[in-house]
Amino acid sequence: MRKPLIAGNWKMNHNQLATRAWCRRFRDIAREDGRPPAADVELAIAPPFTSIPAFLAETGEEEISTGAQNLHQESSGAFTGELSAGMLVELPVDFVILGHSERRHVFGESDERISLKVAAARENQLLPYLCVGETEDERDSGRMEPTIEKQLQAGLSRISLGSADDLVIAYEPVWAIGTGRTATREQAQEAHGFLREILASICSSEIARGVRILYGGSVKANNAGDLAAMPDVDGFLVGGASLDAGSFLSIARAWSGND
Ligand code: 13P
């Protein structure tokens, strides 16, 4: 029903040269294994903006979708250093990561701004990967649920979903990102199940049942299988471990081993 999605967020890593090397390694592994890299899962990578053309050129024939890590909500104008959804579509990319905790906490993006970006993505037929997640303080003080509920409600406040294919949600607890501290599978399931309930109240239970909810935060090949066993974990948004094509594919295959 929900096809597993393993997505990599390269953040500010891999220039064009490194991107081409990653793609060659990806192809080599698939060839050595003698089977397509994405037989039963969907794969996606969000390189830095300047590496997207190289990634697209190298992966033309592969079953892997390409995304951006951010956009500006306006379609054009005096916004030095920014890129619009329309410009990203031209590349072309399929999806865009929005509301990532680094955008929220390092660059000060508010729920309001994120909702405008989600709306701009949808208007341009770009699939938003809306990220939500609580900080360690919020979790420790029992505010995990209200925090992610508010982020989800606000992020979706300017769009209406026509189908489950119009959105991907990523649950990324801030305390697990880049720290080596992965959420337990019970913690991940609790948050994902809760997000699906909220989603049902925002749109419909049918759409909520079909939307993929990815887990992100220190996912590696050795913990992927465990998390993948949970019913509401539909894939991963992988940071550090996606930078190496071999470890990225191992995560995808850990998923397959689970089926
Ligand atoms: P890590 O996998 O490096 O913890 O990063 C997760 C993340 O932020 C993906 O968007």
Side-chain angles (χ1 to χ4, degrees):
M1 165 182 103
R2 295 189 295 267
K3 187 169 189 189
L5 170 60
I6 313 297
N9 172 11
W10 284 358
K11 308 190 181 185
M12 199 172 71
N13 295 291
H14 284 351
N15 62 8
Q16 297 186 44
L17 195 65
T19 296
R20 283 192 283 271
W22 189 99
C23 294
R24 273 196 304 278
R25 175 106 181 92
F26 179 85
R27 275 197 303 271
D28 287 350
I29 299 170
R31 199 176 313 117
E32 282 160 23
D33 285 8
R35 57 178 168 143
D40 35 24
V41 297
E42 197 177 316
L43 300 179
I45 291 285
F49 288 130
T50 53
S51 294
I52 290 174
F55 189 82
L56 285 167
E58 293 281 340
T59 54
E61 314 224 323
E62 315 292 337
E63 288 169 39
I64 183 160
S65 53
T66 310
Q69 300 171 17
N70 187 25
L71 55 71
H72 190 276
Q73 63 272 19
E74 297 295 333
S75 52
S76 62
F79 301 105
T80 302
E82 295 291 317
L83 296 169
S84 69
M87 291 168 178
L88 296 176
V89 168
E90 256 186 352
L91 283 169
V93 297
D94 310 307
F95 71 93
V96 60
I97 299 172
L98 296 173
H100 190 278
S101 81
E102 287 145 23
R103 300 300 317 174
R104 292 178 190 269
H105 298 290
V106 182
F107 298 99
E109 286 191 11
S110 62
D111 279 330
E112 166 73 4
R113 177 173 287 253
I114 292 161
S115 75
L116 290 165
K117 292 184 175 204
V118 170
R122 288 281 297 124
E123 275 157 29
N124 287 275
Q125 282 81 51
L126 264 179
L127 174 65
Y129 284 17
L130 174 62
C131 303
V132 301
E134 81 286 1
T135 61
E136 187 158 32
D137 270 2
E138 287 161 342
R139 172 165 284 268
D140 290 348
S141 57
R143 286 179 292 135
M144 180 274 278
E145 288 193 350
T147 302
I148 63 177
E149 176 172 0
K150 178 169 168 286
Q151 291 171 343
L152 186 64
Q153 296 269 14
L156 301 182
S157 60
R158 293 172 194 272
I159 60 164
S160 61
L161 297 176
S163 91
D165 296 331
D166 293 342
L167 176 72
V168 168
I169 296 172
Y171 169 62
E172 299 205 315
V174 181
W175 47 270
I177 296 178
T179 59
R181 281 177 60 201
T182 320
T184 64
R185 59 194 209 153
E186 290 77 18
Q187 286 171 326
Q189 173 56 32
E190 185 191 17
H192 286 221
F194 175 70
L195 287 168
R196 206 177 297 285
E197 270 172 35
I198 302 301
L199 195 55
S201 71
I202 298 173
C203 40
S204 69
S205 356
E206 196 198 332
I207 290 182
R209 266 197 304 276
V211 168
R212 288 174 296 181
I213 306 180
L214 313 183
Y215 168 78
S218 299
V219 174
K220 309 270 180 284
N222 63 8
N223 56 30
D226 205 34
L227 289 156
M230 303 317 276
D232 286 298
V233 176
D234 305 315
F236 301 120
L237 186 53
V238 187
S242 71
L243 294 176
D244 177 82
S247 66
F248 180 66
L249 276 173
S250 304
I251 291 170
R253 283 170 182 172
W255 192 289
S256 313
N258 196 59
D259 285 345

